[in-house]
Amino acid sequence: MLEPLPKGLIATMSLTSCESMKGFAVEDPVAYAFSHPEAKRILRAVLEKGGQGFEEVRAQVGIEHSETFHRVVRKLAQFDLVAVRAAPGAKFRKHRIPMVLEPTAKTERLVRVLHQLDQVVVENGAIVGQRTVQELAVL
């Protein structure tokens, strides 16, 4: 038998910022990553070369603001799509420990699914509109 959720838990769950996802009680990792191209770029970068530092990944994917990058990384980590670990041999520097991003067991499968979804969007550009293709597809 399932135990009831703690009181107030549902009220604290956040919804995705994608307009088409409003109304969902719980976020879906595929829907989140598909509707956030910056998340797809981060996942691909981490899968391509795991164990990179935050700044290296941020520069590679072209996210200008570190706050935006950290927000997306936190969300991906919540979905267990990236692992955030202390860098090997890391020591405190300016009250911080250098961290690296690594892929998880789910990363490769999700990146493959996202690539297929992007292909569908591109192939159906005339139907979904070029603006949608430009905003969502990360091939």
Side-chain angles (χ1 to χ4, degrees), residues 3-37:
E3 294 183 28
L5 291 173
K7 190 172 184 172
L9 178 64
I10 293 176
T12 62
M13 291 181 176
S14 62
L15 296 174
T16 186
S17 62
C18 180
E19 288 298 316
S20 64
M21 294 290 119
K22 283 189 174 179
F24 280 63
V26 179
E27 287 186 0
D28 179 281
V30 176
Y32 175 80
F34 179 70
S35 63
H36 292 79

Side-chain angles (χ1 to χ4, degrees), residues 87-105:
K91 296 182 180 178
F92 274 101
R93 279 189 262 161
K94 298 182 182 180
H95 306 290
R96 294 181 181 204
I97 296 177
M99 305 298 279
V100 295
L101 290 172
E102 297 176 344
T104 66

Side-chain angles (χ1 to χ4, degrees), residues 31-49:
Y32 175 80
F34 179 70
S35 63
H36 292 79
E38 64 278 7
K40 286 189 266 190
R41 290 194 303 269
I42 290 170
L43 288 171
R44 287 185 181 178
V46 169
L47 185 61
E48 182 181 299
K49 188 177 175 186

Side-chain angles (χ1 to χ4, degrees), residues 49-129:
K49 188 177 175 186
Q52 293 184 82
F54 274 46
E55 292 306 311
E56 291 86 9
V57 175
R58 186 167 71 92
Q60 183 179 347
V61 299
I63 296 177
E64 191 173 322
H65 301 287
S66 63
E67 185 176 319
T68 301
F69 177 76
H70 287 278
R71 183 174 39 247
V72 175
V73 167
R74 276 192 306 272
K75 183 58 73 178
L76 293 173
Q78 287 174 346
F79 287 132
D80 191 30
L81 296 174
V82 296
V84 179
R85 309 225 188 280
K91 296 182 180 178
F92 274 101
R93 279 189 262 161
K94 298 182 182 180
H95 306 290
R96 294 181 181 204
I97 296 177
M99 305 298 279
V100 295
L101 290 172
E102 297 176 344
T104 66
K106 296 178 181 180
T107 309
E108 185 175 358
R109 289 185 307 234
L110 186 69
V111 167
R112 197 173 331 123
V113 167
L114 293 171
H115 183 72
Q116 291 171 347
L117 289 170
D118 283 351
Q119 286 177 322
V120 170
V121 168
V122 170
E123 290 169 6
N124 293 283
I127 297 167
V128 299

